[in-house]
Amino acid sequence: MATILVCDDDKDIVEAISIYLEQEGHQILKAYDGQQALLVLQKNEVDLLIIDVMMPKLDGIRATLKIREEHSLPIIILSAKSEDADKILGLNVGADDYVTKPFSPLELIARVRSQLRRYTQLGAAVSCESQHIYTTGGLTVNDDQKEVQVDGEALRLTPIEYNILLLLIKNQGRVFSINQIYENIWNEEAIAADNTIAVHIRHIREKIEINPKEPRYLKVVWGLGYKIEKL
C-alpha cells in the first residue's frame, strides 16, 4: 500500500481517481490547488503525486518545480492538452510521467503501478550484503545505496533519471536506442518516445556533466542512441 496525493481543482476527478486507487489498496490524500499540495507534502510522507496542470493559485507546473527542490517522489502530471510541447514542459519541470485527459482508469492505474515499482526499487531502505557499484571516470552509481556521485559530490536524481543512468552505466560502451531505453525503463512498447527520452537525457546531463553541451560521460551516437562512455 502506498500513500498517494491527488491534486486537481475538479473535485469530481479527484474523487474518481481516489476511488480507483483505493480499490488498489492505496491511501489517498487530496488537494485542490498547488498550494494545498505543497502543504500536504510538508505534513505527510507521500509515495507518489498525481497533479493537474491547470489549477488556480498555483498551477501544476509551478508546483512541480517547487516540489522538486526538496522531494524526489514520482510525479504524474494530468493535462487536458495532448500536444507534445505540453508533455515536454511537464517532463522539463521534473515530472516522471504524464496522462492526458480524458484518460482510461486502467491506464492511470498501470502508470501508478509502474512509477511505484521503480520508486520502491530506488528506495535506500533495501539492504544488500554485496555492493553493486558502477564507476566510470569520476561518475559512480551505488545501486545498493541508490546513490549517484560525481567527483565525490552526491547528486539528486528522480527515479526515472536514476534508472536510465543505471541501465547505461551497467552496460558501459553499449549503445541503447531510444526505444530500447524506453522499453527497459517503462516496461511497455515505445511509441513516439523520442521527446520523452530526450528530456530525461538532458536532465541527467545537466546533473552529471560539468558542461552538458560537451558531455564526458553520457554520449549520443547519432542515428543510433545513447551510451555511457567507458573511461
Side-chain angles (χ1 to χ4, degrees), residues 75-78 87 91 96-100 107 111 192 196:
I75 299 176
I76 299 176
I77 281 187
L78 301 178
K87 297 174 182 178
L91 296 172
D96 297 286
D97 205 351
Y98 55 82
V99 176
T100 303
E107 178 191 4
R111 292 186 180 275
T196 299

Side-chain angles (χ1 to χ4, degrees), residues 7-231:
C7 182
D8 194 308
D9 61 326
D10 188 326
K11 294 187 177 182
D12 289 338
I13 289 178
V14 172
E15 290 304 315
I17 293 174
S18 299
I19 291 170
Y20 297 134
L21 295 178
E22 284 171 348
Q23 290 174 349
E24 292 284 299
H26 301 303
Q27 177 183 352
I28 307 302
L29 303 175
K30 302 173 185 178
Y32 303 103
D33 60 59
Q35 290 182 356
Q36 289 184 12
L38 293 174
L39 290 173
V40 172
L41 284 168
Q42 287 176 3
K43 299 177 180 179
N44 300 272
E45 291 291 332
V46 177
D47 299 306
L48 182 141
L49 168 64
I50 299 172
I51 188 166
D52 187 38
V53 171
M54 300 299 293
M55 293 185 297
K57 296 184 180 179
L58 186 66
D59 62 48
I61 298 298
R62 290 186 295 162
T64 298
L65 278 168
K66 289 182 176 292
I67 291 165
R68 275 289 175 249
E69 293 175 2
E70 298 183 6
H71 302 279
S72 60
L73 81 166
I75 299 176
I76 299 176
I77 281 187
L78 301 178
S79 175
K81 302 176 181 178
S82 59
E83 291 83 357
D84 282 342
D86 297 296
K87 297 174 182 178
I88 293 171
L89 178 59
L91 296 172
N92 271 333
V93 299
D96 297 286
D97 205 351
Y98 55 82
V99 176
T100 303
K101 295 179 180 178
F103 53 83
S104 159
L106 292 178
E107 178 191 4
L108 180 62
I109 289 170
R111 292 186 180 275
V112 167
R113 287 175 180 168
S114 179
Q115 292 297 328
L116 287 174
R117 181 172 62 250
R118 281 190 288 273
Y119 188 52
T120 301
Q121 292 170 350
L122 190 62
V126 178
S127 61
C128 302
E129 293 181 1
S130 61
Q131 288 197 330
H132 299 86
I133 300 175
Y134 307 92
T135 301
T136 179
L139 172 63
T140 300
V141 177
N142 185 325
D143 194 36
D144 290 332
Q145 298 182 9
K146 308 302 178 186
E147 290 181 350
V148 178
Q149 294 187 356
V150 174
D151 298 328
E153 181 180 352
L155 307 178
R156 175 181 286 176
L157 276 68
T158 68
I160 291 290
E161 293 164 2
Y162 178 87
N163 283 313
I164 291 174
L165 179 59
L166 180 64
L167 171 69
L168 297 178
I169 200 169
K170 285 173 68 174
N171 299 276
Q172 293 176 38
R174 176 181 168 184
V175 178
F176 284 81
S177 70
I178 287 171
N179 286 355
Q180 287 174 326
I181 294 173
Y182 189 94
E183 289 168 2
N184 269 278
I185 302 305
W186 275 264
N187 295 314
E188 62 186 31
E189 182 182 358
I191 299 176
D194 299 48
N195 289 331
T196 299
I197 297 301
V199 169
H200 288 300
I201 291 291
R202 187 173 74 250
H203 287 172
I204 296 170
R205 278 180 170 162
E206 289 170 350
K207 295 176 180 180
I208 70 172
E209 305 284 0
I210 294 175
N211 182 359
K213 294 183 179 179
E214 296 181 6
R216 180 186 182 197
Y217 301 112
L218 211 174
K219 299 291 186 72
V220 61
V221 181
W222 295 108
L224 297 177
Y226 298 95
K227 68 175 181 177
I228 287 288
E229 198 73 84
K230 190 172 184 178
L231 301 174

